[in-house]
Amino acid sequence: MTIVMKEKKKKEKSPKPKYNMWQNSLYMIKLACTSGEKKVVVLGGMTAILAVALNLINLYVSPAVLSAVERRATPGELAVTVAVFAAALMLVSAASSYVNVNTMYGQISVRSEIITMLNRKAATTAYPNLYDEKFQKLLIKSQDAIGSNRAATEAVWTTLTTLLSDTMGFVIYVILMSSVHPLLLAAVLATTVASYLVSNRLNGWGYRHREEEAECAKQMMYLNRQVSEMPLAKDIRIFGLRPWINELYAKSTAAYTAFQRRAQNVYIWARIVDLVLAFLRNAVAYAYLIGLVIASKISVSEFLLLFSVVGGFAAWVSGILGGLNTLYTQSLDISTVRECLEYPEPFRFESGEALRAQPGRMYEIRLENVSYRYPDAERDTLSGVNLTLHPGEKLAVVGLNGAGKTTLVKLICGFLDPTEGRVLLDGRDIRDYDRRDYYKMFSAVFQKFSLLAGTVAANVTQTAEDIDAERVRECIEKAGLRRKIESLKNGYETLLNREVYEDAVLLSGGETQRLMLARALYKDAPFIVLDEPTAALDPIAESEMYQKYNEMTVKKSSVYISHRLASTRFCDRIIMIADGGIAEEGTHEELLKAGGRYAELFEVQSKYYRKGEGEDEEECE
């Protein structure tokens, strides 16, 4: 690793987690209780007790049988001893298996509850958080912590249970070893801790170099993915890329193999250290206990018991140390999840004033000296904008790409708050309201819309329950899509989205736009916003679609964004956004007469379409 990379790594050192592993453990226990899964905690405790019980039975079975032999017990007594231990093993093993199986379902339920909480946070968080890099990183890392049964939010229960059983076993074994010399106990403890620390350090080599491994693996995965996809298939054949790709793959494979060799060398040393320290521990225990046997201070059966206790004691200590290390790692993930769930919201939701749209009432939205700058941007996207959307007015917003049209719409809809100035609803700052209530004031059709897997009716109503079928038909009729939908085999229950349903119907671009219009009409909100929803349509289809919008938005305030100026001539007012503000304002005819930027842009677009029509005519001739 170069000096530059090391310095960069130091600068990018992860911040200290907000919660420690004990706080996170308590959080998980409380969550299990509040989510109706108290049995996870209870059964976890039972699992730990049964694990210790099973260990103790296995510990005593051989010494007990040997002791019976030493006493010259009768065959019947020996048989009873064996039968008692066999029955105990069977019962405890069966109980342990039963408890483990039933615990698993509760653990999955708790993780599912966290998944639900994260999904709710992602879906309802304030819109500016979607631009927040820190929040996005927390969300991505949180997904890793809930992604599988082995993820931290579920695996932590196994870790806590194992830690509990290891601690109980440690205490019991300390009591059993109280009869041996303290120096033996100290020697066993010292070699065990040393073995764990050295092995853990060496075994953690792969974790500490995971970025280097990931870089090698990423290159191979990239090449594998590229050569298996259709777009590159043509280039491979036309440009003869195969030798080059083979060379790149060979280099990435060699780098990955070299990394794995280094890793295996480290892991071998970890194993050697563990074996040497285990040998020393067992040698000391053997020597001490054999001395006691020779001195007739303990019997052979007691020797077997104590030697097993020494080995078991080392296992409990290693288990506790390893469990704490695992719990710490899992705690980092759980802390990330909690920080994501608790990420601050810049908008008021439940704490805001309730807002309900009054049927038939038309509202006014006013922007007062509004400026907005995106995070880390060097200048404002919009600056000092004053604009009023009058009740029942049709307002068109036009301008070049990047001028700030969509940003203006986001401010009007309340997705963003101004960095300066205010957005007012009938003279009241929208920041006073519950922002989710404010969203209910709008219906919208965006350029990128959500066509979810479901029926036509469900996509119109955006719900699978309490669907007003008559109203759905009415909105589909107004959107000009009724003939198409009713011609389908399943009508309004026709499934959409072939990514989920094999028998789903694929609507054309224009049909999908009409479906989105029907959805906006079904909501029946006071404001309708159309943010370049027809960008993928040809000029004629777009003009027809906007005419349909014009007909359907009577007695509603509406905002239209279009990059084709001719499509918005039906609007009451047109504003042109340029240089961070409103450069021109008026009707289509007034702006053309003014001869400014709007007129220039309209003339450029008109020439383009006239030229296209002329070329088509020449081709036809």
Side-chain angles (χ1 to χ4, degrees), residues 74 123 263 275 290 349 351 369 457 477 486 514 541 581 596:
T74 64
L275 289 173
I290 288 174
F349 292 118
S351 62
N369 197 33
E477 172 72 33
E486 294 187 352
R514 292 178 185 276

Side-chain angles (χ1 to χ4, degrees), residues 43 46-47 50 91-105:
L43 294 178
M46 291 178 62
T47 299
L50 289 169
L91 288 173
V92 174
S93 297
S96 182
S97 297
Y98 176 80
V99 171
N100 284 333
V101 170
N102 284 277
T103 303
M104 178 180 65
Y105 298 114

